[in-house]
Amino acid sequence: MTDIEPDETVDGRGAACPGPLMDLIGQIRDAEAGDVVRLLSDTDQSLTDVPEWAEEAGNELLAVEEFDDHNAFYVEKS
């Protein structure tokens, strides 16, 4: 478990790819620099999509938590 406190949470569980990533991108666009957005996703594709997007977009992937039925990604807006 991480002790990171997100400013916003996007629940993309149940959505097909690239839905969770698109939801995350939308939330990051509305966030202020330094805000942390947590994405909850149950698609395995997010494990590669989110880190690749964060790097390309210049945001920082702070942590990934893996649970039995989903993953939580913590992204800080640059």
Side-chain angles (χ1 to χ4, degrees), residues 24-45:
L24 173 63
I25 291 170
Q27 188 65 51
I28 287 284
R29 283 187 183 138
D30 294 339
E32 301 289 327
D35 282 357
V36 175
V37 177
R38 174 176 59 190
L39 170 66
L40 305 177
S41 175
D42 56 4
T43 62
D44 290 339
Q45 189 66 35

PDB file of all heavy atoms in Angstrom, residues 24-45:
ATOM      1  N   LEU A  24      -8.251   9.054 -17.567  1.00  0.00           N
ATOM      2  CA  LEU A  24      -7.115   9.633 -16.846  1.00  0.00           C
ATOM      3  C   LEU A  24      -6.626  10.899 -17.539  1.00  0.00           C
ATOM      4  O   LEU A  24      -6.400  11.926 -16.888  1.00  0.00           O
ATOM      5  CB  LEU A  24      -5.976   8.618 -16.740  1.00  0.00           C
ATOM      6  CG  LEU A  24      -4.657   9.141 -16.162  1.00  0.00           C
ATOM      7  CD1 LEU A  24      -4.837   9.607 -14.726  1.00  0.00           C
ATOM      8  CD2 LEU A  24      -3.582   8.072 -16.247  1.00  0.00           C
ATOM      9  N   ILE A  25      -6.480  10.841 -18.856  1.00  0.00           N
ATOM     10  CA  ILE A  25      -6.004  12.002 -19.614  1.00  0.00           C
ATOM     11  C   ILE A  25      -6.948  13.185 -19.410  1.00  0.00           C
ATOM     12  O   ILE A  25      -6.510  14.316 -19.190  1.00  0.00           O
ATOM     13  CB  ILE A  25      -5.838  11.648 -21.105  1.00  0.00           C
ATOM     14  CG1 ILE A  25      -4.674  10.677 -21.276  1.00  0.00           C
ATOM     15  CG2 ILE A  25      -5.623  12.908 -21.941  1.00  0.00           C
ATOM     16  CD1 ILE A  25      -4.563  10.070 -22.669  1.00  0.00           C
ATOM     17  N   GLY A  26      -8.243  12.932 -19.465  1.00  0.00           N
ATOM     18  CA  GLY A  26      -9.217  14.000 -19.249  1.00  0.00           C
ATOM     19  C   GLY A  26      -9.083  14.639 -17.883  1.00  0.00           C
ATOM     20  O   GLY A  26      -9.148  15.864 -17.743  1.00  0.00           O
ATOM     21  N   GLN A  27      -8.885  13.818 -16.865  1.00  0.00           N
ATOM     22  CA  GLN A  27      -8.755  14.341 -15.498  1.00  0.00           C
ATOM     23  C   GLN A  27      -7.450  15.116 -15.330  1.00  0.00           C
ATOM     24  O   GLN A  27      -7.427  16.153 -14.675  1.00  0.00           O
ATOM     25  CB  GLN A  27      -8.837  13.203 -14.486  1.00  0.00           C
ATOM     26  CG  GLN A  27      -8.898  13.679 -13.052  1.00  0.00           C
ATOM     27  CD  GLN A  27     -10.160  14.467 -12.754  1.00  0.00           C
ATOM     28  OE1 GLN A  27     -11.272  14.022 -13.049  1.00  0.00           O
ATOM     29  NE2 GLN A  27     -10.008  15.643 -12.198  1.00  0.00           N
ATOM     30  N   ILE A  28      -6.369  14.617 -15.913  1.00  0.00           N
ATOM     31  CA  ILE A  28      -5.074  15.300 -15.824  1.00  0.00           C
ATOM     32  C   ILE A  28      -5.154  16.669 -16.497  1.00  0.00           C
ATOM     33  O   ILE A  28      -4.588  17.647 -15.996  1.00  0.00           O
ATOM     34  CB  ILE A  28      -3.949  14.442 -16.454  1.00  0.00           C
ATOM     35  CG1 ILE A  28      -3.606  13.254 -15.554  1.00  0.00           C
ATOM     36  CG2 ILE A  28      -2.703  15.268 -16.757  1.00  0.00           C
ATOM     37  CD1 ILE A  28      -2.771  13.579 -14.329  1.00  0.00           C
ATOM     38  N   ARG A  29      -5.861  16.757 -17.604  1.00  0.00           N
ATOM     39  CA  ARG A  29      -6.010  18.047 -18.302  1.00  0.00           C
ATOM     40  C   ARG A  29      -6.657  19.088 -17.400  1.00  0.00           C
ATOM     41  O   ARG A  29      -6.337  20.269 -17.474  1.00  0.00           O
ATOM     42  CB  ARG A  29      -6.844  17.881 -19.571  1.00  0.00           C
ATOM     43  CG  ARG A  29      -6.084  17.270 -20.703  1.00  0.00           C
ATOM     44  CD  ARG A  29      -6.910  17.298 -21.988  1.00  0.00           C
ATOM     45  NE  ARG A  29      -6.170  16.643 -23.059  1.00  0.00           N
ATOM     46  CZ  ARG A  29      -6.689  15.822 -23.946  1.00  0.00           C
ATOM     47  NH1 ARG A  29      -7.974  15.537 -23.898  1.00  0.00           N
ATOM     48  NH2 ARG A  29      -5.943  15.282 -24.871  1.00  0.00           N
ATOM     49  N   ASP A  30      -7.603  18.659 -16.576  1.00  0.00           N
ATOM     50  CA  ASP A  30      -8.312  19.578 -15.680  1.00  0.00           C
ATOM     51  C   ASP A  30      -7.560  19.847 -14.380  1.00  0.00           C
ATOM     52  O   ASP A  30      -7.944  20.734 -13.625  1.00  0.00           O
ATOM     53  CB  ASP A  30      -9.695  19.015 -15.332  1.00  0.00           C
ATOM     54  CG  ASP A  30     -10.621  18.957 -16.549  1.00  0.00           C
ATOM     55  OD1 ASP A  30     -10.369  19.690 -17.528  1.00  0.00           O
ATOM     56  OD2 ASP A  30     -11.588  18.175 -16.510  1.00  0.00           O
ATOM     57  N   ALA A  31      -6.514  19.091 -14.108  1.00  0.00           N
ATOM     58  CA  ALA A  31      -5.781  19.208 -12.849  1.00  0.00           C
ATOM     59  C   ALA A  31      -4.770  20.358 -12.901  1.00  0.00           C
ATOM     60  O   ALA A  31      -4.375  20.818 -13.972  1.00  0.00           O
ATOM     61  CB  ALA A  31      -5.064  17.894 -12.547  1.00  0.00           C
ATOM     62  N   GLU A  32      -4.365  20.784 -11.723  1.00  0.00           N
ATOM     63  CA  GLU A  32      -3.314  21.792 -11.588  1.00  0.00           C
ATOM     64  C   GLU A  32      -1.963  21.086 -11.516  1.00  0.00           C
ATOM     65  O   GLU A  32      -1.875  19.927 -11.092  1.00  0.00           O
ATOM     66  CB  GLU A  32      -3.522  22.600 -10.297  1.00  0.00           C
ATOM     67  CG  GLU A  32      -4.852  23.328 -10.227  1.00  0.00           C
ATOM     68  CD  GLU A  32      -4.930  24.500 -11.180  1.00  0.00           C
ATOM     69  OE1 GLU A  32      -3.889  25.139 -11.420  1.00  0.00           O
ATOM     70  OE2 GLU A  32      -6.037  24.762 -11.692  1.00  0.00           O
ATOM     71  N   ALA A  33      -0.897  21.795 -11.901  1.00  0.00           N
ATOM     72  CA  ALA A  33       0.456  21.228 -11.793  1.00  0.00           C
ATOM     73  C   ALA A  33       0.703  20.808 -10.345  1.00  0.00           C
ATOM     74  O   ALA A  33       0.378  21.540  -9.411  1.00  0.00           O
ATOM     75  CB  ALA A  33       1.493  22.245 -12.241  1.00  0.00           C
ATOM     76  N   GLY A  34       1.237  19.609 -10.172  1.00  0.00           N
ATOM     77  CA  GLY A  34       1.512  19.080  -8.839  1.00  0.00           C
ATOM     78  C   GLY A  34       0.397  18.220  -8.277  1.00  0.00           C
ATOM     79  O   GLY A  34       0.594  17.526  -7.286  1.00  0.00           O
ATOM     80  N   ASP A  35      -0.793  18.272  -8.886  1.00  0.00           N
ATOM     81  CA  ASP A  35      -1.894  17.428  -8.432  1.00  0.00           C
ATOM     82  C   ASP A  35      -1.599  15.967  -8.747  1.00  0.00           C
ATOM     83  O   ASP A  35      -0.966  15.654  -9.750  1.00  0.00           O
ATOM     84  CB  ASP A  35      -3.208  17.813  -9.116  1.00  0.00           C
ATOM     85  CG  ASP A  35      -3.847  19.066  -8.533  1.00  0.00           C
ATOM     86  OD1 ASP A  35      -3.307  19.616  -7.564  1.00  0.00           O
ATOM     87  OD2 ASP A  35      -4.898  19.480  -9.064  1.00  0.00           O
ATOM     88  N   VAL A  36      -2.076  15.085  -7.889  1.00  0.00           N
ATOM     89  CA  VAL A  36      -1.925  13.650  -8.095  1.00  0.00           C
ATOM     90  C   VAL A  36      -3.296  13.059  -8.402  1.00  0.00           C
ATOM     91  O   VAL A  36      -4.259  13.271  -7.657  1.00  0.00           O
ATOM     92  CB  VAL A  36      -1.321  12.963  -6.848  1.00  0.00           C
ATOM     93  CG1 VAL A  36      -1.280  11.444  -7.037  1.00  0.00           C
ATOM     94  CG2 VAL A  36       0.076  13.501  -6.573  1.00  0.00           C
ATOM     95  N   VAL A  37      -3.369  12.348  -9.520  1.00  0.00           N
ATOM     96  CA  VAL A  37      -4.602  11.682  -9.928  1.00  0.00           C
ATOM     97  C   VAL A  37      -4.381  10.173  -9.829  1.00  0.00           C
ATOM     98  O   VAL A  37      -3.387   9.651 -10.323  1.00  0.00           O
ATOM     99  CB  VAL A  37      -5.003  12.072 -11.366  1.00  0.00           C
ATOM    100  CG1 VAL A  37      -6.248  11.308 -11.803  1.00  0.00           C
ATOM    101  CG2 VAL A  37      -5.230  13.580 -11.471  1.00  0.00           C
ATOM    102  N   ARG A  38      -5.321   9.497  -9.167  1.00  0.00           N
ATOM    103  CA  ARG A  38      -5.269   8.038  -9.052  1.00  0.00           C
ATOM    104  C   ARG A  38      -6.249   7.454 -10.063  1.00  0.00           C
ATOM    105  O   ARG A  38      -7.410   7.839 -10.110  1.00  0.00           O
ATOM    106  CB  ARG A  38      -5.654   7.600  -7.641  1.00  0.00           C
ATOM    107  CG  ARG A  38      -5.751   6.076  -7.495  1.00  0.00           C
ATOM    108  CD  ARG A  38      -6.042   5.660  -6.084  1.00  0.00           C
ATOM    109  NE  ARG A  38      -7.294   6.253  -5.618  1.00  0.00           N
ATOM    110  CZ  ARG A  38      -7.696   6.215  -4.351  1.00  0.00           C
ATOM    111  NH1 ARG A  38      -6.961   5.648  -3.426  1.00  0.00           N
ATOM    112  NH2 ARG A  38      -8.852   6.771  -4.013  1.00  0.00           N
ATOM    113  N   LEU A  39      -5.758   6.534 -10.872  1.00  0.00           N
ATOM    114  CA  LEU A  39      -6.601   5.797 -11.818  1.00  0.00           C
ATOM    115  C   LEU A  39      -6.769   4.374 -11.317  1.00  0.00           C
ATOM    116  O   LEU A  39      -5.783   3.691 -11.039  1.00  0.00           O
ATOM    117  CB  LEU A  39      -5.951   5.758 -13.211  1.00  0.00           C
ATOM    118  CG  LEU A  39      -6.603   4.814 -14.222  1.00  0.00           C
ATOM    119  CD1 LEU A  39      -8.011   5.278 -14.584  1.00  0.00           C
ATOM    120  CD2 LEU A  39      -5.745   4.663 -15.458  1.00  0.00           C
ATOM    121  N   LEU A  40      -8.026   3.935 -11.219  1.00  0.00           N
ATOM    122  CA  LEU A  40      -8.328   2.540 -10.903  1.00  0.00           C
ATOM    123  C   LEU A  40      -8.715   1.860 -12.206  1.00  0.00           C
ATOM    124  O   LEU A  40      -9.612   2.332 -12.910  1.00  0.00           O
ATOM    125  CB  LEU A  40      -9.482   2.454  -9.900  1.00  0.00           C
ATOM    126  CG  LEU A  40      -9.308   3.242  -8.603  1.00  0.00           C
ATOM    127  CD1 LEU A  40     -10.557   3.118  -7.740  1.00  0.00           C
ATOM    128  CD2 LEU A  40      -8.073   2.794  -7.852  1.00  0.00           C
ATOM    129  N   SER A  41      -8.024   0.786 -12.547  1.00  0.00           N
ATOM    130  CA  SER A  41      -8.278   0.095 -13.811  1.00  0.00           C
ATOM    131  C   SER A  41      -8.153  -1.413 -13.618  1.00  0.00           C
ATOM    132  O   SER A  41      -7.243  -1.878 -12.933  1.00  0.00           O
ATOM    133  CB  SER A  41      -7.286   0.567 -14.875  1.00  0.00           C
ATOM    134  OG  SER A  41      -7.451  -0.173 -16.072  1.00  0.00           O
ATOM    135  N   ASP A  42      -9.059  -2.147 -14.257  1.00  0.00           N
ATOM    136  CA  ASP A  42      -8.983  -3.611 -14.184  1.00  0.00           C
ATOM    137  C   ASP A  42      -8.574  -4.224 -15.523  1.00  0.00           C
ATOM    138  O   ASP A  42      -8.723  -5.419 -15.731  1.00  0.00           O
ATOM    139  CB  ASP A  42     -10.300  -4.206 -13.685  1.00  0.00           C
ATOM    140  CG  ASP A  42     -11.507  -3.808 -14.519  1.00  0.00           C
ATOM    141  OD1 ASP A  42     -11.322  -3.127 -15.555  1.00  0.00           O
ATOM    142  OD2 ASP A  42     -12.634  -4.149 -14.129  1.00  0.00           O
ATOM    143  N   THR A  43      -8.036  -3.407 -16.437  1.00  0.00           N
ATOM    144  CA  THR A  43      -7.538  -3.932 -17.707  1.00  0.00           C
ATOM    145  C   THR A  43      -6.017  -4.045 -17.655  1.00  0.00           C
ATOM    146  O   THR A  43      -5.339  -3.102 -17.247  1.00  0.00           O
ATOM    147  CB  THR A  43      -7.949  -3.040 -18.899  1.00  0.00           C
ATOM    148  OG1 THR A  43      -7.376  -1.743 -18.718  1.00  0.00           O
ATOM    149  CG2 THR A  43      -9.452  -2.916 -19.010  1.00  0.00           C
ATOM    150  N   ASP A  44      -5.504  -5.188 -18.065  1.00  0.00           N
ATOM    151  CA  ASP A  44      -4.061  -5.411 -18.045  1.00  0.00           C
ATOM    152  C   ASP A  44      -3.319  -4.458 -18.970  1.00  0.00           C
ATOM    153  O   ASP A  44      -2.166  -4.109 -18.716  1.00  0.00           O
ATOM    154  CB  ASP A  44      -3.730  -6.856 -18.431  1.00  0.00           C
ATOM    155  CG  ASP A  44      -4.140  -7.853 -17.360  1.00  0.00           C
ATOM    156  OD1 ASP A  44      -4.302  -7.441 -16.183  1.00  0.00           O
ATOM    157  OD2 ASP A  44      -4.299  -9.036 -17.685  1.00  0.00           O
ATOM    158  N   GLN A  45      -3.970  -4.012 -20.037  1.00  0.00           N
ATOM    159  CA  GLN A  45      -3.330  -3.106 -20.989  1.00  0.00           C
ATOM    160  C   GLN A  45      -2.898  -1.797 -20.320  1.00  0.00           C
ATOM    161  O   GLN A  45      -1.934  -1.171 -20.739  1.00  0.00           O
ATOM    162  CB  GLN A  45      -4.284  -2.817 -22.155  1.00  0.00           C
ATOM    163  CG  GLN A  45      -3.641  -2.054 -23.297  1.00  0.00           C
ATOM    164  CD  GLN A  45      -2.552  -2.847 -24.006  1.00  0.00           C
ATOM    165  OE1 GLN A  45      -2.661  -4.068 -24.143  1.00  0.00           O
ATOM    166  NE2 GLN A  45      -1.513  -2.160 -24.430  1.00  0.00           N
TER     167      GLN A  45
END
